[in-house]
Amino acid sequence: SGPVRMMDELATHTPERLWLETVSTKDKEIVLSGASLDNELVAGFLGALGDSPYFDEVDLNSTEMGSGGDGLKIVKFKIQASMTTPKKSEG
């Protein structure tokens, strides 16, 4: 259930016009690389992951301007975070 829930959280919090190209994990660390049409989408995605109970220590490692198909300007990014299991609430 852990990996399935993590993927669900990623799918739920990934905004339109932002796409993930690679998702890699090692132990409790996850690294996400992708592209977006602007910096605001990357910032919103970063904030949404930070608010998720399944990710901790969410950090933007890098952004750089690039170009997609048809000369479209894109922002490439890399995000690193720790995966965590939310604590069950008592009661």
Side-chain angles (χ1 to χ4, degrees):
S1 65
V4 171
R5 189 64 191 146
M6 292 286 175
M7 294 305 290
D8 183 56
E9 283 290 298
L10 286 176
T12 299
H13 294 303
T14 302
E16 290 185 30
R17 301 179 315 199
L18 181 144
W19 55 98
L20 297 176
E21 296 172 339
T22 62
V23 176
S24 60
T25 61
K26 183 175 181 184
D27 298 324
K28 294 286 185 179
E29 180 181 283
I30 186 168
V31 177
L32 311 168
S33 297
S36 174
L37 294 183
D38 59 49
N39 284 319
E40 286 88 25
L41 290 169
V42 176
F45 182 53
L46 194 68
L49 291 179
D51 290 341
S52 169
Y54 289 88
F55 300 101
D56 195 17
E57 301 174 20
V58 180
D59 188 36
L60 180 63
N61 282 2
S62 65
T63 60
E64 66 180 55
M65 293 302 294
S67 59
D70 298 328
L72 181 68
K73 299 290 183 199
I74 60 171
V75 177
K76 295 183 176 190
F77 64 87
K78 184 181 275 188
I79 295 172
Q80 181 175 337
S82 296
M83 297 179 290
T84 184
T85 304
K87 294 178 175 45
K88 295 186 187 230
S89 59
E90 296 179 39

